[in-house]
Amino acid sequence: MEYETVLTTCPYCGCGCKYYIEVIDGVAKDVLPCKEDPISQGKLCIKGWNAVDFVYSGDRLKTPLIKENGKFREASWDEAYGLIASKFKDIKGTHGANALGLLSSAKTTNEENYLMQKFARSVIVTNNVDHCARLCHASTVAGLAAAFGSGAMTNSTPEVEEADCILITGSNTTEQHPLIGSRIFKAKENGAKIILIDPRAIQLSKFADLHLRQRPGTDVAWINGFIHVIIEEGLADEEFITTRTENFEELKELVKDYTPERVEEITGIPKEDLVKAARMYAGADSASIIYSMGITQHTTGVDNVKSCANLSMVTGNLGKPSTGVNPLRGQNNVQGACDLGALPNVFPGYQAVVNPDFREKFEKAWGMAEKIPDNIGLTVVEMMNEAHKGNLKCIYIMGENPMISDPDITHVKEALENLDFLVVQDLFVTETAALADVVLPGTSFLEKDGTFTATDRRVQRVRKAIEPIGDSRPDWKIICELAQRMGSKGFEFKSPKEIQDEIASLTPIYGGITYDRLDELGYLQWPCPNAEHAGTVFLHKDKCSRGPGHFFAVEYKPPAELPDEKYPFTLTTGRILFHFHTGTMTRRSEKLNKEVPTGYVEINPQDAEELGIKDGEKVKVSTRRGTIDIPAYVTRKVPLKTVFIPFHFNECAANMLTNPALDPIAKIPEFKVCACKIETIGE
Ligand SMILES: Nc1nc2c(c(=O)[nH]1)N[C@H]1C(S)=C(S)[C@@H](COP(=O)(O)OP(=O)(O)OC[C@H]3O[C@@H](n4cnc5c(=O)[nH]c(N)nc54)[C@H](O)[C@@H]3O)O[C@H]1N2
Ligand SMILES: Nc1nc2c(c(=O)[nH]1)N[C@H]1C(S)=C(S)[C@@H](COP(=O)(O)OP(=O)(O)OC[C@H]3O[C@@H](n4cnc5c(=O)[nH]c(N)nc54)[C@H](O)[C@@H]3O)O[C@H]1N2
Ligand code: SF4
Ligand SMILES: [Mo]
């Protein structure tokens, strides 16, 4: 018997827990926690414990598939590559490179994301490359970059437990970032005050010193209300404002109108509670804001994020340990996918595509004959819209499942069916892959080497533990082979290590990151510009990355669609502990599936009574986009006239209902608010 343990990084959430995989005779058997890992400290959440399950699922893709007469048949890699290369060339030749779009993946490694955007920009020669960050923290990347100069978490996960006050809003931390949630408990034990601002009752409600429940989509109003109280009561940090920021006067003028009375009218938060919470936050020596999707997934997502930045700067809570603004990035490698330029507006390291110097730098480094276009490419939802209109002809999707995760999936289905050619590279025939012309089998995190970047800018190794299942291949290899098949140079990599060396040479924030250093140190947090640099624990120490921190005076704007007579309820959507996103991985784990086998709609007992709905009964939920049948979960977790649906379940898909209205800057859809109605189905 051959026994080994391989230290790797979890493929689920952005906490970035490392653990050992127990491998017996080449088969991954179990997960063993790693005490030395500074994030997990030897503890894991239930998804981590069960992370091996989906890898061996009987329906893993084992060969490429080609669709013929509406049905898939198995194909060789050679045939699949040949077909894709000729279709890509034909479409580019006939309609131009911008008729093709590529979706990269926050599930895959840094090296794979780097290659996907390199493929888009140097082989296809388009900036139409994006990924699920668009549906997630696009508002953070835009909003915090404008305020501070960097869109990343300002502090590190271990610092959470040292904060004196933690304001958590729009983050169900214990379910969605469990190993950061546990740091919040530790902070509480250490005497920290916990303020939770969330429309729903979540696990943290019981532990919070204060839980304020705002109406969904009213975050700018309560944050302006906080700042109003802080200025009125002389709690602002005048020195920080004078020496480290700009544009304060404009904000000061604007928040005059956000009296606690007016904020109560807009948000429903009692004015006494608002004042109490504002004093608690401003009174702490080190206060940290933790936020996630409840802040970002709105048509005012960027405004919400800028407001969080305002609040931290007014009180001088920035550039110190355990303070700051901490957007919790969701996917295992969404931070890395952004860092490495799988975005339509930036090259790796956030080097803007509109800047001719950066375009020239990459054209030269990649030995290109063609010029990289100077326009910003299409985002996720824009790609769907352009496909629907017939302008976008082809999409190549690696590791995303928009048929469950994009808003308004009736529209997404029509868009994808309207394409001339769709390629999907995944582990399974997902709802999206089912619509593809060619499906390519990628490998899971257990079958490849690489790196993931956790939410706190922590770059860590992913190590191969087992051989690829069937004839599947690691995504990095597939992209290299396809690029070579298309006759392109610059994809002759023999290993992910070689790819990282190219990344380091072109990406200043990753400049000092090598596999040797990662193997020695366990992790490096960017910015890490050179081989001598130890990495950066927290950002904006003596000044912000952009220079002075910029205050934005933002007015409250209501969500795009509000309840009315026809659709009287507010629908908000999100996730639960036991399942991940579109369920492709967690729903293939018996243990996780047993916990929560299907979806449900949370509805307040009083609303349920008025509508004559019993707990567990199937009801009809409709919006202007569509209708689903779904079991009712009657619970006080949701306030009156608000319902919540987790989006993991294809049989009752929340995104049949959601509103694709976008934030004008970040182009993130409003997953967190739309209007719906609920009806009983009857016997
Ligand atoms: N188990 C599990 N963990 C995950 C994931 C998963 O699918 N499953 N996904 C990962 C990913 S990619 C992400 S992005 C993160 C997301 O992690 P979270 O953002 O924590 O998760 P969500 O459930 O989307 O929403 C968070 C909270 O926003 C609140 N909320 C709703 N409307 C509003 C509002 O208008 N304002 C405010 N302030 N709050 C509101 C909800 O009540 C909820 O408690 O989780 C990551 N971790
Ligand atoms: N209604 C509603 N919708 C939402 C949200 C919400 O809160 N409400 N949240 C949004 C957010 S924050 C996010 S991040 C998105 C997530 O949206 P998606 O990224 O589309 O969802 P995932 O299920 O994570 O898709 C990942 C896919 O990659 C595959 N995969 C896993 N590992 C690998 C690999 O190594 N290689 C390859 N090739 N494939 C792999 C999986 O099988 C899966 O099909 O959903 C968004 N949609
Ligand atoms: S907290 Fe996140 S990274 Fe850690 S084990 Fe759970 S899913 Fe994996
Ligand atoms: Mo996300």
Coordinates of all heavy atoms in Angstrom, one line a residue, residues 324-385:
G324 N -10.0 49.1 8.7 CA -10.2 49.0 7.2 C -11.6 48.6 6.7 O -12.5 48.5 7.4
V325 N -11.5 48.3 5.4 CA -12.7 47.9 4.7 C -12.4 46.6 4.1 O -11.5 46.4 3.2 CB -13.1 49.0 3.6 CG1 -14.4 48.5 2.9 CG2 -13.2 50.3 4.2
N326 N -13.2 45.6 4.5 CA -12.8 44.2 4.1 C -13.9 43.5 3.4 O -14.8 42.8 4.0 CB -12.4 43.5 5.4 CG -11.0 44.0 5.9 OD1 -10.0 43.9 5.1 ND2 -11.0 44.6 7.0
P327 N -13.9 43.6 2.0 CA -14.8 42.9 1.2 C -14.4 41.4 1.2 O -13.3 41.2 0.8 CB -14.6 43.5 -0.2 CG -13.3 44.1 -0.2 CD -13.0 44.5 1.3
L328 N -15.2 40.5 1.6 CA -14.9 39.1 1.6 C -15.1 38.6 0.2 O -16.3 38.5 -0.3 CB -15.6 38.3 2.6 CG -15.5 38.9 4.0 CD1 -16.2 37.9 5.0 CD2 -14.0 39.0 4.5
R329 N -14.0 38.2 -0.5 CA -14.1 37.7 -1.9 C -14.6 36.3 -1.8 O -14.2 35.5 -0.9 CB -12.8 37.8 -2.6 CG -12.2 39.1 -2.7 CD -13.0 40.2 -3.3 NE -13.3 39.8 -4.7 CZ -12.7 40.4 -5.8 NH1 -11.7 41.3 -5.6 NH2 -13.0 40.0 -7.0
G330 N -15.5 35.9 -2.7 CA -16.3 34.6 -2.5 C -15.6 33.3 -3.0 O -15.5 32.4 -2.2
Q331 N -15.3 33.3 -4.2 CA -14.8 32.0 -4.8 C -13.3 31.8 -4.3 O -12.6 32.7 -4.0 CB -14.7 32.0 -6.3 CG -16.1 32.0 -6.9 CD -16.5 30.6 -7.4 OE1 -16.2 29.6 -6.8 NE2 -17.3 30.6 -8.5
N332 N -12.9 30.5 -4.2 CA -11.6 30.1 -3.9 C -10.5 31.0 -4.6 O -9.5 31.3 -4.0 CB -11.3 28.6 -4.2 CG -11.6 28.3 -5.7 OD1 -12.6 28.8 -6.2 ND2 -10.8 27.5 -6.3
N333 N -10.8 31.3 -5.9 CA -9.7 32.1 -6.6 C -10.3 33.3 -7.4 O -9.8 33.6 -8.4 CB -8.9 31.2 -7.5 CG -7.6 31.8 -8.0 OD1 -7.0 32.6 -7.2 ND2 -7.2 31.6 -9.2
V334 N -11.3 33.9 -6.8 CA -11.8 35.1 -7.5 C -10.9 36.2 -7.4 O -10.7 37.0 -8.3 CB -13.3 35.4 -7.1 CG1 -13.3 35.9 -5.7 CG2 -13.9 36.5 -8.0
Q335 N -10.2 36.3 -6.3 CA -9.2 37.4 -6.1 C -8.1 37.2 -7.2 O -7.8 38.2 -7.9 CB -8.6 37.4 -4.7 CG -7.6 38.5 -4.4 CD -8.3 39.8 -4.5 OE1 -9.2 40.1 -3.8 NE2 -7.8 40.7 -5.3
G336 N -7.7 36.0 -7.4 CA -6.6 35.7 -8.4 C -7.1 35.9 -9.8 O -6.3 36.5 -10.6
A337 N -8.3 35.5 -10.1 CA -8.8 35.7 -11.5 C -8.8 37.2 -11.8 O -8.5 37.6 -13.0 CB -10.2 35.1 -11.6
C338 N -9.2 38.0 -10.9 CA -9.1 39.5 -11.1 C -7.7 40.0 -11.2 O -7.3 40.7 -12.1 CB -9.8 40.2 -10.0 SG -11.6 40.0 -9.9
D339 N -6.9 39.5 -10.3 CA -5.5 40.0 -10.2 C -4.8 39.7 -11.6 O -3.9 40.4 -12.0 CB -4.7 39.2 -9.2 CG -5.2 39.5 -7.7 OD1 -5.9 40.5 -7.6 OD2 -4.8 38.8 -6.8
L340 N -5.2 38.5 -12.2 CA -4.5 38.1 -13.4 C -5.2 38.5 -14.7 O -4.9 38.0 -15.8 CB -4.2 36.6 -13.3 CG -3.2 36.4 -12.2 CD1 -3.0 35.0 -11.8 CD2 -1.9 37.1 -12.5
G341 N -6.1 39.5 -14.6 CA -6.6 40.1 -15.8 C -7.7 39.4 -16.5 O -7.9 39.7 -17.7
A342 N -8.4 38.5 -15.9 CA -9.5 37.9 -16.6 C -10.7 38.8 -16.5 O -11.8 38.5 -16.1 CB -9.9 36.5 -15.9
L343 N -10.5 40.0 -16.9 CA -11.4 41.2 -16.8 C -11.3 41.9 -18.1 O -10.2 42.0 -18.7 CB -11.1 42.1 -15.7 CG -11.3 41.5 -14.2 CD1 -10.7 42.5 -13.2 CD2 -12.8 41.3 -13.9
P344 N -12.4 42.5 -18.6 CA -12.3 43.2 -20.0 C -11.6 44.5 -20.0 O -11.3 45.0 -21.1 CB -13.8 43.4 -20.3 CG -14.5 43.4 -19.0 CD -13.7 42.5 -18.1
N345 N -11.2 45.1 -18.8 CA -10.6 46.4 -18.8 C -9.2 46.4 -18.4 O -8.5 47.4 -18.5 CB -11.4 47.4 -17.9 CG -11.5 46.9 -16.5 OD1 -11.4 45.7 -16.2 ND2 -11.7 47.8 -15.6
V346 N -8.7 45.3 -17.8 CA -7.3 45.3 -17.3 C -6.5 44.1 -17.7 O -7.1 43.0 -17.8 CB -7.3 45.5 -15.8 CG1 -7.6 46.9 -15.3 CG2 -8.2 44.5 -15.1
F347 N -5.2 44.3 -17.9 CA -4.3 43.2 -18.0 C -3.9 42.7 -16.6 O -4.4 43.3 -15.6 CB -3.0 43.7 -18.6 CG -3.1 44.1 -20.1 CD1 -3.0 45.5 -20.4 CD2 -3.2 43.2 -21.1 CE1 -3.1 45.8 -21.8 CE2 -3.3 43.5 -22.4 CZ -3.3 44.9 -22.8
P348 N -3.1 41.6 -16.5 CA -2.7 41.2 -15.1 C -2.1 42.3 -14.3 O -1.4 43.2 -14.9 CB -1.6 40.2 -15.5 CG -2.0 39.6 -16.8 CD -2.6 40.7 -17.5
G349 N -2.4 42.3 -13.0 CA -1.9 43.4 -12.1 C -2.7 44.7 -12.3 O -2.2 45.8 -12.0
Y350 N -3.9 44.7 -12.8 CA -4.8 45.8 -13.0 C -4.2 46.9 -13.9 O -4.3 48.1 -13.7 CB -5.2 46.4 -11.6 CG -5.8 45.3 -10.7 CD1 -5.1 44.6 -9.8 CD2 -7.1 45.0 -10.9 CE1 -5.6 43.6 -9.1 CE2 -7.7 44.0 -10.2 CZ -7.0 43.2 -9.3 OH -7.5 42.2 -8.6
Q351 N -3.4 46.5 -14.9 CA -2.8 47.5 -15.8 C -3.8 47.7 -16.9 O -4.2 46.8 -17.6 CB -1.5 46.9 -16.3 CG -0.5 46.6 -15.2 CD 0.8 45.9 -15.6 OE1 1.7 46.5 -16.0 NE2 0.8 44.6 -15.5
A352 N -4.3 48.9 -17.0 CA -5.5 49.2 -17.8 C -5.2 49.0 -19.3 O -4.2 49.4 -19.9 CB -5.9 50.7 -17.6
V353 N -6.2 48.4 -20.0 CA -6.1 48.1 -21.4 C -6.2 49.4 -22.3 O -5.7 49.5 -23.4 CB -7.1 47.1 -22.0 CG1 -6.9 45.7 -21.4 CG2 -8.5 47.6 -21.9
V354 N -6.8 50.5 -21.7 CA -6.9 51.7 -22.5 C -5.5 52.5 -22.5 O -5.4 53.4 -23.3 CB -8.0 52.7 -21.9 CG1 -9.4 52.0 -22.1 CG2 -7.8 53.0 -20.5
N355 N -4.6 52.0 -21.7 CA -3.3 52.7 -21.6 C -2.4 52.1 -22.7 O -2.0 50.9 -22.6 CB -2.7 52.5 -20.2 CG -1.4 53.2 -20.1 OD1 -0.6 53.3 -21.0 ND2 -1.1 53.7 -18.8
P356 N -2.0 52.9 -23.7 CA -1.2 52.4 -24.8 C 0.2 51.8 -24.4 O 0.7 50.8 -25.0 CB -0.9 53.6 -25.7 CG -1.4 54.8 -24.9 CD -2.2 54.3 -23.8
D357 N 0.7 52.3 -23.3 CA 2.0 51.7 -22.8 C 1.9 50.3 -22.3 O 2.7 49.4 -22.6 CB 2.6 52.5 -21.6 CG 2.9 54.0 -22.0 OD1 3.0 54.2 -23.3 OD2 3.0 54.8 -21.2
F358 N 0.8 50.0 -21.6 CA 0.5 48.6 -21.2 C 0.2 47.7 -22.4 O 0.7 46.6 -22.4 CB -0.6 48.6 -20.2 CG -0.3 49.2 -18.8 CD1 -1.2 50.0 -18.2 CD2 1.0 49.0 -18.3 CE1 -0.8 50.6 -17.0 CE2 1.3 49.6 -17.1 CZ 0.4 50.4 -16.4
R359 N -0.5 48.2 -23.3 CA -0.8 47.4 -24.5 C 0.5 47.0 -25.2 O 0.7 45.8 -25.6 CB -1.8 48.1 -25.5 CG -3.2 48.2 -25.0 CD -4.2 48.5 -26.1 NE -3.9 49.6 -26.9 CZ -4.2 50.9 -26.6 NH1 -4.9 51.1 -25.4 NH2 -3.9 51.9 -27.4
E360 N 1.3 48.0 -25.3 CA 2.6 47.7 -26.0 C 3.5 46.7 -25.2 O 4.1 45.8 -25.8 CB 3.4 49.0 -26.2 CG 4.4 49.0 -27.3 CD 5.2 50.3 -27.3 OE1 4.7 51.4 -27.1 OE2 6.4 50.2 -27.5
K361 N 3.5 46.9 -23.9 CA 4.2 46.0 -23.0 C 3.8 44.5 -23.3 O 4.6 43.7 -23.4 CB 4.0 46.4 -21.6 CG 4.4 45.4 -20.5 CD 4.2 45.9 -19.1 CE 4.3 44.8 -18.1 NZ 4.2 45.2 -16.7
F362 N 2.5 44.3 -23.3 CA 2.0 42.9 -23.5 C 2.1 42.4 -24.9 O 2.5 41.2 -25.1 CB 0.6 42.8 -22.9 CG 0.5 42.7 -21.4 CD1 0.4 43.9 -20.7 CD2 0.7 41.5 -20.7 CE1 0.4 43.8 -19.3 CE2 0.8 41.5 -19.3 CZ 0.6 42.6 -18.6
E363 N 1.9 43.3 -25.9 CA 2.1 42.9 -27.3 C 3.6 42.4 -27.5 O 3.8 41.4 -28.1 CB 1.8 44.0 -28.2 CG 0.3 44.3 -28.4 CD 0.0 45.8 -28.9 OE1 1.0 46.5 -29.2 OE2 -1.1 46.1 -29.0
K364 N 4.5 43.1 -26.9 CA 5.9 42.8 -27.0 C 6.2 41.5 -26.3 O 6.8 40.6 -26.9 CB 6.7 43.9 -26.4 CG 7.7 44.6 -27.4 CD 8.7 45.4 -26.6 CE 9.2 46.4 -27.6 NZ 9.7 47.6 -26.8
A365 N 5.8 41.4 -25.1 CA 6.1 40.2 -24.2 C 5.5 39.0 -24.9 O 6.1 37.9 -24.8 CB 5.6 40.4 -22.8
W366 N 4.4 39.1 -25.5 CA 3.7 37.9 -26.1 C 4.1 37.7 -27.5 O 3.5 36.9 -28.2 CB 2.2 38.1 -25.9 CG 1.7 38.0 -24.5 CD1 2.4 37.5 -23.4 CD2 0.4 38.5 -23.9 NE1 1.6 37.6 -22.3 CE2 0.4 38.3 -22.5 CE3 -0.7 39.2 -24.5 CZ2 -0.6 38.6 -21.7 CZ3 -1.7 39.5 -23.7 CH2 -1.7 39.3 -22.3
G367 N 5.0 38.5 -28.0 CA 5.4 38.4 -29.4 C 4.3 38.5 -30.4 O 4.3 37.7 -31.4
M368 N 3.4 39.4 -30.3 CA 2.3 39.5 -31.1 C 2.5 40.3 -32.4 O 3.2 41.3 -32.4 CB 1.1 40.2 -30.4 CG 0.5 39.3 -29.3 SD -0.7 40.2 -28.3 CE -2.0 40.5 -29.6
A369 N 1.9 39.8 -33.5 CA 2.0 40.6 -34.8 C 0.8 41.6 -34.8 O 0.9 42.7 -35.3 CB 1.9 39.6 -35.9
E370 N -0.4 41.1 -34.3 CA -1.5 42.0 -34.3 C -1.5 43.0 -33.1 O -0.8 42.7 -32.1 CB -2.8 41.2 -34.2 CG -3.2 40.5 -35.5 CD -4.4 39.6 -35.3 OE1 -5.5 40.1 -35.3 OE2 -4.3 38.4 -35.1
K371 N -2.3 44.0 -33.1 CA -2.4 45.0 -32.0 C -3.6 44.6 -31.1 O -4.7 44.2 -31.6 CB -2.7 46.4 -32.6 CG -1.6 46.9 -33.4 CD -0.7 47.9 -32.5 CE 0.5 48.3 -33.2 NZ 1.8 47.9 -32.6
I372 N -3.4 44.7 -29.8 CA -4.5 44.4 -28.8 C -5.4 45.6 -28.9 O -5.0 46.8 -28.9 CB -3.9 44.3 -27.4 CG1 -3.0 43.1 -27.3 CG2 -5.1 44.2 -26.4 CD1 -2.2 43.0 -26.0
P373 N -6.8 45.3 -29.1 CA -7.7 46.5 -29.2 C -7.6 47.4 -28.0 O -7.4 47.0 -26.9 CB -9.1 45.8 -29.3 CG -8.9 44.3 -29.2 CD -7.4 44.0 -29.1
D374 N -7.9 48.7 -28.3 CA -7.8 49.7 -27.3 C -9.1 49.9 -26.5 O -9.2 50.7 -25.6 CB -7.3 51.0 -27.8 CG -8.2 51.6 -28.9 OD1 -9.3 51.0 -29.1 OD2 -7.8 52.6 -29.5
N375 N -10.1 49.1 -26.9 CA -11.4 49.3 -26.2 C -11.6 48.3 -25.1 O -11.0 47.2 -25.2 CB -12.6 49.1 -27.2 CG -12.6 47.7 -27.7 OD1 -11.7 47.1 -28.2 ND2 -13.7 47.0 -27.4
I376 N -12.3 48.7 -24.1 CA -12.7 47.8 -23.0 C -13.7 46.7 -23.6 O -14.6 47.1 -24.3 CB -13.3 48.6 -21.8 CG1 -12.3 49.5 -21.2 CG2 -14.0 47.6 -20.8 CD1 -12.8 50.4 -20.2
G377 N -13.5 45.5 -23.2 CA -14.3 44.4 -23.8 C -15.6 44.3 -23.1 O -16.0 45.1 -22.2
L378 N -16.4 43.3 -23.5 CA -17.7 43.0 -23.0 C -17.7 42.3 -21.6 O -16.8 41.5 -21.4 CB -18.6 42.2 -23.9 CG -18.9 42.8 -25.3 CD1 -19.5 41.7 -26.2 CD2 -19.8 44.0 -25.2
T379 N -18.6 42.7 -20.7 CA -18.7 42.0 -19.4 C -19.7 40.8 -19.6 O -20.3 40.6 -20.6 CB -19.3 43.0 -18.4 OG1 -20.6 43.3 -18.8 CG2 -18.4 44.2 -18.2
V380 N -19.8 40.0 -18.5 CA -20.6 38.8 -18.5 C -22.0 39.0 -19.1 O -22.4 38.4 -20.0 CB -20.7 38.1 -17.1 CG1 -21.7 37.0 -17.1 CG2 -19.4 37.7 -16.6
V381 N -22.7 40.0 -18.4 CA -24.1 40.2 -18.8 C -24.2 40.8 -20.2 O -25.1 40.5 -20.9 CB -24.9 41.0 -17.7 CG1 -26.3 41.2 -18.1 CG2 -24.8 40.2 -16.4
E382 N -23.3 41.7 -20.5 CA -23.2 42.3 -21.8 C -23.0 41.3 -22.9 O -23.6 41.4 -24.0 CB -22.1 43.4 -21.9 CG -22.5 44.7 -21.1 CD -21.3 45.6 -21.0 OE1 -20.2 45.2 -21.1 OE2 -21.6 46.8 -20.9
M383 N -22.2 40.3 -22.6 CA -22.0 39.2 -23.6 C -23.3 38.5 -23.9 O -23.6 38.2 -25.0 CB -21.0 38.2 -23.1 CG -19.5 38.6 -23.2 SD -18.4 37.2 -22.8 CE -17.0 38.1 -22.2
M384 N -24.1 38.2 -22.8 CA -25.4 37.6 -23.0 C -26.3 38.5 -23.9 O -27.0 38.0 -24.8 CB -26.0 37.2 -21.7 CG -25.2 36.2 -20.9 SD -24.9 34.7 -21.8 CE -23.6 34.0 -20.8
N385 N -26.3 39.8 -23.5 CA -27.1 40.7 -24.3 C -26.7 40.8 -25.8 O -27.6 40.7 -26.7 CB -27.1 42.1 -23.7 CG -27.8 42.1 -22.3 OD1 -28.5 41.2 -22.0 ND2 -27.5 43.1 -21.5

